[in-house]
Amino acid sequence: DVTFDVNDLYKYLSDDQGKLSISKFLQALRATGLRETDPRLKEMMANLKNVQSDLKDLDAAQKVYLDRETFRECITENIILVVKAFRNQFIIPEFVQFTQRINELFWKAKANTEGELASYIPQLARFNPESWGLAICTVDGQRYAIGDAHDPFCMQSIIKPLTYAMVLDELGPDVVHQYVGQEPSGQAFNNISLDLMNRPHNPMINAGAVVTCSLLKQGMNIADKFEYNQQKILQLSGNEYVSFNNSVFLSERQTADRNFALGYYMKEKQCFPKGTNLHEVLDFYFQLCSVEITCDSGAVIAATLANGGICPTTGVKVLQPYCIRDTLSLMLSCGMYDYSGQFAFKVGLPGKSGVSGGIMLVVPNVMGIFMWSPPLDRYGNSCRGIQFCMDLVKTFNFHNFDNLRHTARKLDPRMQTVDKQGNLVVNLLFAAYNGDVTAIR
């Protein structure tokens, strides 16, 4: 009963005099993981703003109290989400405790000073090696950001799975995989080689990404094609920060001899659809690598992948679920350059890295995590990012092959601590009452 929930919620949040301050309500809402800027709370935030519109300054605004009826009127247009938040019905019910653990892992990784900046693109060599940011978005839109999570950087290879998913959505897997394979190549990401069917091995290496660029919106002029891609990325990110870095694009194109060689080799082997303009396709590929995001907007993209193609913060269905399934499968097997096999073994989650220092990690049906730190290991992956991913699955049972019933030493943030302990006690007492020695043992 929603009325009962609103009354209960008002009692729970109000002070000893039965008054509820707006600031206390918003503070409690933030603790569930929701942000005041969440598009799903737009009407409620507008109502609260109207209530305090007569006040002249922020200090006075902090003292605004709501009576029960005003509170109901303010939240009624977004009541389902608000009640769900305070009933602890989000995917991570104890969000504050979860983020405290994430905080510890973040600072532990911050101490890692290994790795070198990418130098083959001059613009990337200018990043601050101390930069380290991380952001999380769950499939329910719970948000957390720490460090340099709002600093912009270029996606580089992290764009590859997104382009692949868009092409799948447009053409379907049967058409797409006539042109590009699904196997790890076993070779460097920029190696000049094809599989036995004269296709790039997969869409996560340079050759495969160039071919998927040629498949996207064939016949459309390059300007409209780039605009289409930007709009899709914007939808995936819930309309958060997405931009373009022209200096990186120019730098990328200027140092692209290997990619041009790849392109001409594939043109000779007839890897592209008919009518493909190789120079336009390569320009489009360099432009996509130069698309700029932040960890905060990237986390929403990752969460959209975790949520089957539906953006958690806007509810917009951006891509079909089967496109996401196929994309995540390839990210698991091919997403981390020559470290992909070890990453799948040790972390067990779909991930994609880029030479700008970004790593997009997807916990299917749970959350997306985006991290960024420019110093790279010898495989081209962020050193701090890799360490964080390792520590994450040591702490939480997020590895795809962790057993959720019997992996007791790891934490499961999808359950409330009191529920886990309560279930154990009830089961033990029930077994004892019935004399079930096997269950007790």
Side-chain angles (χ1 to χ4, degrees):
D1 179 32
V2 172
T3 306
F4 175 75
D5 282 325
V6 173
N7 291 338
D8 258 19
L9 188 55
Y10 187 84
K11 283 181 194 172
Y12 170 67
L13 294 171
S14 55
D15 60 18
D16 296 338
Q17 281 78 44
K19 293 181 177 180
L20 171 58
S21 76
I22 289 180
S23 60
K24 183 177 179 183
F25 169 61
L26 294 178
Q27 185 180 355
L29 195 67
R30 284 192 291 270
T32 70
L34 291 181
R35 286 184 180 171
E36 293 157 41
T37 53
D38 193 308
R40 299 168 297 171
L41 296 174
K42 181 181 175 185
E43 293 80 9
M44 183 192 80
M45 293 308 301
N47 292 337
L48 291 173
K49 190 175 180 181
N50 289 338
V51 167
Q52 54 188 10
S53 61
D54 294 335
L55 296 160
K56 304 297 181 191
D57 57 43
L58 187 63
D59 290 333
Q62 296 299 315
K63 298 172 186 175
V64 176
Y65 290 95
L66 300 170
D67 59 45
R68 193 188 306 270
E69 196 51 44
T70 307
F71 177 64
R72 186 195 310 281
E73 288 172 6
C74 283
I75 72 169
T76 190
E77 290 171 274
N78 308 124
I79 195 165
I80 300 299
L81 184 65
V82 173
V83 167
K84 189 177 179 185
F86 285 107
R87 274 182 166 181
N88 293 327
Q89 290 177 333
F90 286 154
I91 190 73
I92 307 294
E94 296 174 348
F95 197 67
V96 171
Q97 293 89 323
F98 172 71
T99 54
Q100 285 170 351
R101 295 272 184 175
I102 293 294
N103 231 11
E104 293 167 14
L105 302 183
F106 174 86
W107 289 109
K108 184 181 173 187
K110 172 71 174 172
N112 186 333
T113 56
E114 295 174 6
E116 302 289 336
L117 296 176
S119 58
Y120 72 96
I121 299 173
Q123 300 297 322
L124 300 183
R126 298 175 190 170
F127 276 125
N128 180 0
E130 294 300 311
S131 296
W132 172 222
L134 180 143
I136 291 172
C137 179
T138 73
V139 293
D140 286 315
Q142 296 165 281
R143 307 290 297 276
Y144 179 70
I146 185 171
D148 303 311
H150 301 283
D151 288 6
F153 56 90
C154 289
M155 295 186 77
Q156 294 294 329
S157 288
I158 299 173
I159 200 76
K160 290 172 181 173
L162 307 181
T163 312
Y164 170 67
M166 290 178 211
V167 172
L168 275 183
D169 196 49
E170 182 192 351
L171 301 176
D174 292 341
V175 173
V176 173
H177 289 291
Q178 290 174 21
Y179 293 92
V180 61
Q182 298 145 299
E183 292 288 338
S185 68
Q187 296 163 335
F189 68 95
N190 60 357
N191 205 58
I192 300 177
S193 67
L194 300 172
D195 66 15
L196 296 175
M197 296 172 65
N198 275 338
R199 302 173 305 178
H201 290 85
N202 64 72
M204 305 298 152
I205 56 176
N206 288 14
V210 171
V211 169
T212 53
C213 284
S214 74
L215 293 171
L216 185 67
K217 293 295 174 186
Q218 298 167 54
M220 188 181 276
N221 73 61
I222 192 168
D224 290 340
K225 191 185 282 197
F226 180 73
E227 180 66 24
Y228 170 82
N229 181 84
Q230 286 291 82
Q231 288 303 314
K232 278 288 187 185
I233 300 294
L234 202 59
Q235 286 182 317
L236 288 166
S237 72
N239 300 312
E240 298 193 14
Y241 184 88
V242 176
S243 188
F244 175 72
N245 190 317
N246 193 52
S247 59
V248 171
F249 161 64
L250 295 172
S251 186
E252 189 104 29
R253 186 165 62 175
Q254 199 171 9
T255 55
D257 291 343
R258 172 58 68 101
N259 285 320
F260 274 100
L262 261 174
Y264 279 110
Y265 176 65
M266 291 192 294
K267 186 178 179 184
E268 180 201 357
K269 297 291 185 181
Q270 299 181 328
C271 295
F272 297 108
K274 286 181 181 177
T276 296
N277 182 320
L278 179 59
H279 281 252
E280 279 193 1
V281 166
L282 286 169
D283 257 9
F284 182 50
Y285 170 69
F286 303 144
Q287 286 171 343
L288 295 191
C289 291
S290 308
V291 170
E292 208 172 54
I293 57 168
T294 64
C295 288
D296 209 37
S297 59
V300 184
I301 296 173
T304 303
L305 299 186
N307 200 35
I310 298 171
C311 179
T313 58
T314 63
V316 173
K317 188 175 185 179
V318 187
L319 295 164
Q320 294 293 334
Y322 80 87
C323 305
I324 304 302
R325 179 201 65 204
D326 291 357
T327 300
L328 294 180
S329 298
L330 282 175
M331 284 171 64
L332 181 65
S333 62
C334 315
M336 304 297 290
Y337 300 126
D338 291 350
Y339 191 69
S340 296
Q342 288 191 64
F343 192 82
F345 182 81
K346 294 176 180 176
V347 178
L349 290 169
K352 187 70 194 85
S353 59
V355 292
S356 55
I359 294 180
M360 178 171 68
L361 189 71
V362 178
V363 186
N365 306 305
V366 181
M367 68 178 66
I369 305 175
F370 211 108
M371 57 217 91
W372 172 64
S373 180
L376 310 177
D377 61 20
R378 61 196 177 101
Y379 300 106
N381 300 318
S382 168
C383 293
R384 292 190 181 106
I386 291 288
Q387 181 181 325
F388 178 86
C389 293
M390 300 280 198
D391 290 340
L392 181 78
V393 295
K394 285 177 186 171
T395 307
F396 302 105
N397 55 4
F398 284 160
H399 192 296
N400 256 328
F401 305 110
D402 273 334
N403 188 291
L404 298 184
R405 293 180 66 190
H406 303 302
T407 312
R409 285 170 304 207
K410 291 187 181 183
L411 302 173
D412 188 353
R414 289 159 283 203
M415 289 184 69
Q416 289 184 268
T417 309
V418 67
D419 288 345
K420 286 183 279 190
Q421 293 170 342
N423 287 340
L424 284 172
V425 172
V426 168
N427 288 340
L428 181 63
L429 292 174
F430 186 73
Y433 177 77
N434 287 287
D436 188 339
V437 179
T438 305
I440 292 170
R441 189 183 293 120

